[in-house]
């Protein structure tokens, strides 16, 4: 366990506590965008409405290219400290950083006030029904006043300068804690002393995010997938749609009102587990798509998956075939999330 916690501290991995309160390491990258033109910079790269974010409010957004493809998914928070806090995937870190740095230089050459700082922080994620209860004992702030996708800087288990954000990629309530690297081992160790908190592996993370219908970059979305195809149209800010001022807008915005060739859908079956790359067929046996993620659902005791099919096959309730281990089995297109989410919203 100590070896895992050390990886969490030194490589900036996330520690997730999942239902009832389990944890696993997951890589991420953290960046601070500052200057009076910080929103202009970010909105030149992503599809979301960053200008509308209230202080300490965050949003899931997407880096897109001029062809409308998704370069990465990320969370952008408008902090009350006067900068944007950006969390993106470590697997895309080199291209994400180059993308942001190039835009910083471009705007600076235009006389704009903007800058970028890479944060030397770990990110520890505590997820599950008891996550807030576990964390509340270690902080002075009232976590009941911290709803989903908002954050606050506070001291956690004696470590100062931690940014606690009410979010996570499991569909459950929980927080992600950005902690100075020097305090990461102490904080992770303190969390694990609570009997409610357990370390979890990749399978736990993957089954939870899949039950919640959440995409994994590189599997379910990539630079050849548009937000509309990926069923992520909700990430497109209405003002941004009208202005068509984000990369790929000329491709993406028309797709909102017209037809796209394919869409990401949920699939459910009771046969063998569907896995990534499994062919999806119509009832006549013709291949029409591919599974991108799949696993047994511990909550539903059924097998769930996501994949891409032509629009005419995307309606929930549509019966299809999936080829698993060279055998065809019945599957049904299902609404997502497969398991209702449990985000804390103050409502």
């Amino acid at each position: 366990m100590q070896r895992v916690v050390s990886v969490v501290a030194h490589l900036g991995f996330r520690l997730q506590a999942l239902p009832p309160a389990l944890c696993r390491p997951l890589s991420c990258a953290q960046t601070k965008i500052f200057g009076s033109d910080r929103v202009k910079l970010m909105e030149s790269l992503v599809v979301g409405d960053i200008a509308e974010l209230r202080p300490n409010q965050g949003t899931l957004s997407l880096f897109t290219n001029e062809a409308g493809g998704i370069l990465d998914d990320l969370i952008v928070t408008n902090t009350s400290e006067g900068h944007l806090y950006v969390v993106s995937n470590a697997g895309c870190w080199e291209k994400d950083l180059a993308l942001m740095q190039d835009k910083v230089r471009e705007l600076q050459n235009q006389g704009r006030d903007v800058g970028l700082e890479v944060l030397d922080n770990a990110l520890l994620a505590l997820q599950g029904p008891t996550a807030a209860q576990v964390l509340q004992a270690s902080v002075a702030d009232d976590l009941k006043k911290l709803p989903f996708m908002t954050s606050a800087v506070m001291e956690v288990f004696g470590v100062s300068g931690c940014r606690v954000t009410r979010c996570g990629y499991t569909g459950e309530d929980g927080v992600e804690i950005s902690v100075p690297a020097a305090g990461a081992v102490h904080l992770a160790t303190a969390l694990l002393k609570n009997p409610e908190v357990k370390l979890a592996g990749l399978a736990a993370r993957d089954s939870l995010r899949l039950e919640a219908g959440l995409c994994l970059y590189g599997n379910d979305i990539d630079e050849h997938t548009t937000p509309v195809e990926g069923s992520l149209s909700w990430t497109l800010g209405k003002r941004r749609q009208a202005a068509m001022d984000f990369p790929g807008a000329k491709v993406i915005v028309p797709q909102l009102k017209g037809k796209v060739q394919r869409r990401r859908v949920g699939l459910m079956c009771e046969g063998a587990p569907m896995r990534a790359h499994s062919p999806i067929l119509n009832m006549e046996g013709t291949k029409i798509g591919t599974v991108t993620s799949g696993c047994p659902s511990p909550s539903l005791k059924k097998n769930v998956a996501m994949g891409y099919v032509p629009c005419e096959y995307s309606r929930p309730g549509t019966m299809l075939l999936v080829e698993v281990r060279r055998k065809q089995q019945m599957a049904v297109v299902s609404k997502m999330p497969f398991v209702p989410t449990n985000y804390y919203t103050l409502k």
Side-chain angles (χ1 to χ4, degrees):
M1 183 177 294
Q2 181 59 42
R3 181 180 178 187
V4 173
V5 171
S6 296
V7 171
V8 169
H10 299 305
L11 297 186
F13 286 143
R14 290 192 285 183
L15 182 69
Q16 288 188 335
L18 306 170
L22 303 176
C23 2
R24 74 164 293 277
L26 178 68
S27 57
C28 69
Q30 302 175 67
T31 310
K32 180 165 69 174
I33 307 294
F34 56 89
S36 60
D37 291 311
R38 59 189 180 277
V39 171
K40 180 179 180 62
L41 179 140
M42 190 54 56
E43 289 196 346
S44 71
L45 300 174
V46 303
V47 301
D49 192 339
I50 308 304
E52 75 170 0
L53 294 175
R54 299 185 300 274
N56 294 323
Q57 181 186 18
T59 185
L60 178 71
S61 197
L62 307 169
F63 286 127
T64 49
N65 58 29
E66 291 300 334
I70 301 170
L71 297 173
D72 197 10
D73 57 332
L74 67 156
I75 292 179
V76 183
T77 298
N78 177 30
T79 74
S80 59
E81 293 78 31
H83 65 268
L84 298 178
Y85 168 59
V86 179
V87 179
S88 57
N89 291 303
C92 299
W93 175 231
E94 290 186 2
K95 70 175 183 181
D96 289 354
L97 182 60
L99 186 69
M100 291 186 286
Q101 287 178 330
D102 287 347
K103 185 59 67 171
V104 166
R105 284 190 289 268
E106 177 185 329
L107 292 181
Q108 286 177 342
N109 289 337
Q110 297 173 6
R112 299 286 186 173
D113 176 27
V114 67
L116 179 150
E117 177 186 343
V118 177
L119 298 178
D120 184 24
N121 282 18
L123 192 61
L124 309 183
L126 187 69
Q127 301 281 289
T130 63
Q133 177 184 338
V134 166
L135 190 63
Q136 186 63 76
S138 69
V139 300
D141 298 61
D142 186 359
L143 297 179
K144 291 181 180 179
K145 298 180 180 179
L146 194 70
F148 183 61
M149 293 307 291
T150 63
S151 71
V153 175
M154 61 186 73
E155 182 177 294
V156 184
F157 282 112
V159 180
S160 60
C162 295
R163 176 169 292 280
V164 177
T165 304
R166 198 72 171 255
C167 70
Y169 216 60
T170 64
E172 281 291 334
D173 185 23
V175 296
E176 292 187 347
I177 309 166
S178 177
V179 52
V185 170
H186 167 76
L187 183 51
T189 302
L191 286 170
L192 290 169
K193 286 181 179 178
N194 191 309
E196 287 288 309
V197 180
K198 305 294 182 184
L199 285 172
L202 279 170
R205 189 291 308 263
D206 207 40
S207 64
L208 284 158
R209 69 94 187 168
L210 189 48
E211 287 181 341
L214 300 172
C215 295
L216 179 63
Y217 190 82
N219 283 46
D220 309 298
I221 51 175
D222 57 29
E223 62 184 13
H224 303 295
T225 307
T226 71
V228 181
E229 291 174 330
S231 299
L232 294 170
S233 300
W234 59 269
T235 63
L236 305 172
K238 291 183 179 179
R239 175 179 61 84
R240 307 299 309 284
Q241 293 177 37
M244 297 188 65
D245 60 351
F246 56 86
K250 292 181 180 179
V251 175
I252 297 168
V253 173
Q255 290 182 345
L256 293 169
K257 297 181 180 180
K259 288 187 177 181
V260 291
Q261 292 186 344
R262 60 176 190 150
R263 285 190 183 274
R264 177 173 63 96
V265 298
L267 297 167
M268 190 178 296
C269 77
E270 296 183 359
M274 298 170 284
R275 300 295 187 183
H277 310 301
S278 295
I280 303 172
L281 306 92
N282 62 20
M283 296 303 293
E284 287 71 44
T286 301
K287 182 179 177 181
I288 59 171
T290 305
V291 170
T292 54
S293 290
C295 72
S297 165
S299 302
L300 300 175
K301 309 303 181 186
K302 295 182 179 180
N303 300 312
V304 297
M306 295 190 294
Y308 285 84
V309 298
C311 283
E312 58 265 34
Y313 296 98
S314 64
R315 185 182 297 275
T318 301
M319 300 303 301
L320 297 172
L321 298 171
V322 176
E323 186 176 304
V324 181
R325 299 171 187 168
R326 299 182 181 179
K327 294 183 179 180
Q328 295 179 5
Q329 61 187 44
M330 298 288 293
V332 60
V333 175
S334 304
K335 290 183 178 181
M336 294 185 285
F338 298 102
V339 176
T341 55
N342 192 34
Y343 305 126
Y344 181 68
T345 60
L346 287 183
K347 293 182 179 179

